[in-house]
Amino acid sequence: MDVLQKSSERIPLSQRPEYADVKPVPQDDGPNPIVPISYTDEFRETMDYFRAIYVADERSLRALQLTTEAIKLNPGNYTVWQFRRLVLEALNADMNKELDFVDGIVEGIVEGNSKNYQIWHHRRWVAENLGTDASTRELEFTKTILSKDAKHYHAWSHRQWVLQALGGWKDELTYCELLLKDDIFNNSAWNQRYFVVTRSPLLGGLGAMRESEVTCTVNAIMEHPENESPWRYLRGLYRNDTHALVKDPQVASVCLKILTAKNNYVHALSMLLDLLCHGFQPSLEIRNAVYGLSDSGAQGSDLVKVVCSILELVDPMRANYWKWRRNIVPAQAAQCLKDDGLTGLSL
Amino acid sequence: MGELAVEKHVKFILTIEKEKDSFESVVMEHIRLNGAYWALTTLDILGKLNTVDQDEVISWMMQCQHESGGFGGNIGHDPHLLYTLSAIQVLALFDKIDALDIDKVSNYIAGLQNNDGSFSGDMWGEIDTRFSCVAILSLALLKRLDKINVEKAVNYIVSCKNLDGGFGCTPGAESHAGQIFCCVAALAVTGSLHHVDKDLLGWWLCERQVKSGGLNGRPEKLPDVCYSWWVLSSLIMIDRVHWIDKEKLIKFILDCQDKENGGISDRPEDAVDVFHTYFGVAGLSLLEYPGLKAIDPAYALPVDVVNRIFFGR
């Protein structure tokens, strides 16, 4: 770990005059420690001094410095972060400098360790103190993290919080588009896209955005029909409005194209299944495309049953799911007819 | 199909709990209570809880408790909901929940509920559906759910439901299997599963199974043994576990073992740790792998422990 490699430059706390009057407090694991831990000397010394300051509740500059060193040694230690906040408050510290500090911690630590709740929560606390002025910086910061790991859950969570608490929505949809251009499979970016489209005060909301979003989504699907995310996004665009989903020619059309191409068609079949279950009337072309994917005996059979049979074969891991879909279809179809007020009409 | 190297895993757990020199031990010092829960629950599932000195564990653990009633991750660490649940769970394993001042602990937990029904992890105010889950499970085990506003707690969780039927850490956050477990468990325990679209979520969850048979936590991510717990327990709670290929998942988990030195890793060939060892074993228990104690999918404790709490001896 690169933090510990710097040990040779470090002056032990016991040799620093500014800490001369501090009596270090060793870790108390109890009289018969079940899980006694051995520390490296540097770690032990730093934590012993931290404990002394913590127990004395000393909220001074040297206390701040100790939390800095303790955090660098172990950024996961939540008690140290919490005490640091108390010290920062007491010192009425410069919150912008504190963001610099967190930047440094994130940069300096080993890959993977930025998946640490403490750092992000601390960041949020500092940004809250700074208010809307921090918006740009925080969006930039999360962008930097996401450029290294575009699915970083904490970064996305922080970014969503920043947008809602501090503002900065203007370029967010564009940012999502950029990320998706980099990796069309990035589910986090799709999720953020939905977040922006539905919550941004600058756009018109889902209703206003739907048509253009459907077009973008359909294009993404055509690029990679095996990509789970845009299919889900498409369903999300029509949440609570399945009728409109069924009626949208773009949706039926993309299914047809993929089924005809006979490549990576599992999700397309699954979407077709959903449409059929909600009253979609398939064209002859769609019927033929489906029959083209199954064995020769399928022609003339109930299309839904054929779709399910194909899915059971090509997605065997989820065979039970597709079997279940096949079995509930009669009930679903009847429900749809009822909903459309078409009870009494034969299929 | 491979076998579960039970003796090796037991040895692995008992050894790392005593190990003095590992860097991992050092940096995990502040979450030792979580570590204790993972280690001890695994031992119990493997039928080896008696290899541990119960009194020593409890005596150490009680020193992690604060005036407020909450538990810190280790002695000298600030209280937090996460460690409070682990403490309650460990005491439950030993049938020693009565060692607690139950009202005091419940008051600490209840005090962390916010006006919108959400829960903060501690006095610093971080909000996350993980904390809703932890608070609800804790209070349910203590039989003090009446101390919080359950309706508001449920409403907050429901507000975190996404278009794919899943749940995130806060409203609008991406669906993630870990968060989904937290929300579904909390809803299950409060009798609120009707808020879950079981077919939609069940489908999202079964789509987590990848070619290798392992489960990932979000679309297009790598499989990880810990999702064997979060995805699987969620599927069981909503009655859809038959939608995944159980045999393939069992094989994946068994392939993640270090059969020489014991322990289980996140995916085959990676380094092992107690966290993944727990989730691997717990996942196998949910999959009814022979010779393991049954585990409750919501409380993440052996079923006999949960029964003991709710139905007496």
Side-chain angles (χ1 to χ4, degrees):
Chain A
M1 299 244 155
D2 53 19
V3 165
L4 292 181
Q5 278 158 18
K6 292 195 176 104
S7 309
S8 51
E9 303 159 7
R10 175 185 175 273
I11 302 169
L13 286 154
S14 55
Q15 289 169 25
R16 295 187 222 175
E18 63 269 32
Y19 293 97
D21 63 300
V22 176
K23 189 157 178 279
V25 175
Q27 171 72 14
D28 176 13
D29 279 322
N32 293 308
I34 329 104
V35 287
I37 299 168
S38 165
Y39 301 83
T40 64
D41 286 341
E42 180 184 344
F43 191 100
R44 186 209 312 271
E45 196 198 29
T46 307
M47 290 313 295
D48 288 353
Y49 273 78
F50 168 75
R51 241 170 255 115
I53 298 286
Y54 172 77
V55 162
D57 198 11
E58 182 188 312
R59 305 186 191 184
S60 63
L61 268 172
R62 69 177 183 180
L64 189 66
Q65 175 59 24
L66 264 179
T67 62
T68 300
E69 294 188 31
I71 284 168
K72 283 182 177 164
L73 284 168
N74 186 4
N77 192 323
Y78 69 99
T79 301
V80 178
W81 281 106
Q82 292 180 169
F83 188 69
R84 187 182 175 89
R85 286 193 277 279
L86 292 174
V87 174
L88 289 168
E89 274 179 336
L91 296 177
N92 203 18
D94 180 337
M95 289 298 167
N96 275 301
K97 288 217 176 76
E98 187 61 11
L99 286 181
D100 293 337
F101 168 70
V102 181
D103 282 349
I105 294 293
V106 173
E107 264 166 56
I109 59 183
V110 176
E111 245 218 49
N113 280 355
S114 66
K115 294 199 174 138
N116 157 328
Y117 289 101
Q118 285 67 43
I119 294 180
W120 290 99
H121 181 59
H122 187 77
R123 186 111 199 161
R124 186 175 304 200
W125 178 83
V126 176
E128 249 169 350
N129 269 285
L130 285 166
T132 51
D133 285 344
S135 163
T136 309
R137 180 171 181 168
E138 289 311 279
L139 290 175
E140 274 312 304
F141 176 72
T142 51
K143 218 183 239 193
T144 310
I145 301 288
L146 292 169
S147 68
K148 298 183 195 138
D149 175 1
K151 304 181 186 181
H152 196 297
Y153 199 78
H154 298 273
W156 280 116
S157 173
H158 188 68
R159 197 172 173 91
Q160 288 191 343
W161 171 79
V162 171
L163 287 167
Q164 294 192 287
L166 309 177
W169 292 92
K170 190 164 65 76
D171 299 316
E172 196 63 12
L173 187 58
T174 311
Y175 179 58
C176 291
E177 285 168 348
L178 268 167
L179 286 174
L180 287 172
K181 214 163 159 208
D182 268 343
D183 178 10
I184 196 75
F185 292 88
N186 185 340
N187 193 66
S188 308
W190 283 104
N191 183 75
Q192 187 72 351
R193 196 177 178 124
Y194 196 76
F195 184 80
V196 176
V197 161
T198 50
R199 291 170 195 250
S200 169
L202 304 176
L203 303 169
L206 188 54
M209 300 287 298
R210 187 153 78 188
E211 205 181 321
S212 55
E213 286 301 291
V214 170
T215 307
C216 287
T217 311
V218 161
N219 289 340
I221 287 172
M222 285 306 300
E223 255 183 72
H224 283 280
E226 75 279 22
N227 187 353
E228 201 183 326
S229 305
W231 289 102
R232 288 192 190 278
Y233 188 75
L234 191 56
R235 286 180 177 85
L237 290 173
Y238 283 105
R239 195 184 207 181
N240 299 326
D241 196 0
T242 328
H243 202 71
L245 174 73
V246 169
K247 291 254 178 310
D248 188 338
Q250 286 194 84
V251 178
S253 160
V254 73
C255 289
L256 174 60
K257 286 192 183 117
I258 295 165
L259 295 174
T260 312
K262 297 197 181 187
N263 200 16
N264 288 320
Y265 51 81
V266 172
H267 294 312
L269 273 180
S270 168
M271 174 60 87
L272 179 60
L273 181 59
D274 286 347
L275 296 176
L276 292 169
C277 290
H278 285 96
F280 175 65
Q281 300 302 314
S283 64
L284 189 59
E285 288 157 300
I286 287 185
R287 285 182 182 277
N288 287 337
V290 172
Y291 296 140
L293 293 172
S294 71
D295 57 42
S296 48
Q299 288 256 9
S301 308
D302 180 346
L303 193 65
V304 168
K305 292 220 178 333
V306 176
V307 168
C308 288
S309 303
I310 300 170
L311 282 165
E312 277 173 59
L313 269 174
V314 300
D315 190 19
M317 231 183 284
R318 281 163 278 275
N320 285 340
Y321 173 70
W322 300 120
K323 280 196 183 84
W324 171 77
R325 290 298 303 266
R326 176 152 47 103
N327 291 336
I328 60 159
V329 165
Q332 259 188 315
Q335 187 62 36
C336 283
L337 286 179
K338 217 153 60 103
D339 292 343
D340 285 343
L342 295 170
T343 324
L345 275 180
S346 58
L347 270 168
Chain B
M1 158 122 47
E3 268 188 28
L4 184 63
V6 174
E7 291 306 321
K8 296 271 180 174
H9 299 319
V10 172
K11 191 153 170 262
F12 167 73
I13 289 173
L14 294 175
T15 309
I16 48 127
E17 284 294 289
K18 289 188 168 61
E19 203 166 82
K20 296 177 185 242
D21 281 318
S22 76
F23 184 78
E24 198 198 86
S25 264
V26 161
V27 297
M28 303 277 270
E29 174 253 332
H30 55 286
I31 60 166
R32 185 137 304 280
L33 240 171
N34 284 162
Y37 159 73
W38 297 324
L40 295 169
T41 310
T42 309
L43 289 175
D44 198 8
I45 297 174
L46 298 173
K48 296 283 199 280
L49 188 60
N50 51 9
T51 56
V52 164
D53 186 327
Q54 165 179 316
D55 292 330
E56 278 195 51
V57 174
I58 294 177
S59 132
W60 157 72
M61 222 173 57
M62 295 314 290
Q63 291 180 75
C64 300
Q65 190 176 27
H66 284 252
E67 270 306 299
S68 58
F71 283 76
N74 203 336
I75 298 172
H77 281 273
D78 294 340
H80 194 287
L81 275 185
L82 294 173
Y83 313 111
T84 307
L85 174 63
S86 289
I88 295 169
Q89 287 169 316
V90 169
L91 288 171
L93 289 173
F94 293 130
D95 195 12
K96 285 278 192 292
I97 289 190
D98 50 16
L100 285 174
D101 176 340
I102 291 182
D103 275 322
K104 197 165 179 199
V105 180
S106 342
N107 288 337
Y108 167 75
I109 297 168
L112 288 165
Q113 185 171 31
N114 301 306
N115 282 332
D116 61 358
S118 68
F119 282 84
S120 300
D122 61 17
M123 54 172 272
W124 291 97
E126 184 190 358
I127 293 175
D128 188 321
T129 47
R130 288 181 299 140
F131 306 142
S132 301
C133 171
V134 161
I136 287 171
L137 292 187
S138 299
L139 290 171
L141 288 168
L142 297 176
K143 303 185 198 171
R144 292 288 191 279
L145 265 177
D146 55 321
K147 289 209 178 219
I148 57 165
N149 185 327
V150 173
E151 195 187 336
K152 276 188 159 184
V154 166
N155 288 342
Y156 179 76
I157 292 171
V158 173
S159 77
C160 297
K161 192 163 50 154
N162 292 319
L163 57 98
D164 48 26
F167 296 84
C169 59
T170 44
E174 190 185 0
S175 294
H176 180 291
Q179 308 291 152
I180 289 171
F181 161 75
C182 290
C183 293
V184 173
L187 292 175
V189 160
T190 53
S192 316
L193 277 177
H194 54 277
H195 289 293
V196 176
D197 185 334
K198 296 181 185 177
D199 297 331
L200 184 59
L201 178 57
W203 177 49
W204 188 93
L205 288 167
C206 78
E207 289 280 352
R208 294 310 105 235
Q209 191 163 32
V210 299
K211 273 206 168 60
S212 63
L215 303 172
N216 62 23
R218 293 181 272 170
E220 298 298 324
K221 298 225 65 184
L222 293 175
D224 183 322
V225 149
C226 66
Y227 295 112
S228 309
W229 170 264
W230 286 317
V231 173
L232 206 50
S233 57
S234 302
L235 280 167
I236 289 176
M237 286 189 275
I238 60 171
D239 221 356
R240 300 288 186 271
V241 73
H242 49 290
W243 285 355
I244 57 157
D245 185 327
K246 288 159 98 169
E247 290 302 304
K248 283 196 107 175
L249 180 57
I250 290 176
K251 180 173 187 304
F252 176 82
I253 298 173
L254 293 174
D255 283 346
C256 293
Q257 298 178 93
D258 178 344
K259 287 182 146 178
E260 295 258 327
N261 306 307
I264 297 176
S265 61
D266 57 355
R267 55 190 76 92
E269 311 301 320
D270 278 357
V272 302
D273 58 51
V274 68
F275 174 83
H276 288 97
T277 304
Y278 161 70
F279 284 112
V281 171
L284 287 171
S285 167
L286 288 179
L287 292 162
E288 297 171 303
Y289 189 87
L292 304 180
K293 263 195 178 186
I295 188 167
D296 184 293
Y299 291 104
L301 285 167
V303 169
D304 60 355
V305 171
V306 175
N307 287 344
R308 194 168 56 202
I309 293 172
F310 291 110
F311 305 122
R313 270 154 232 288

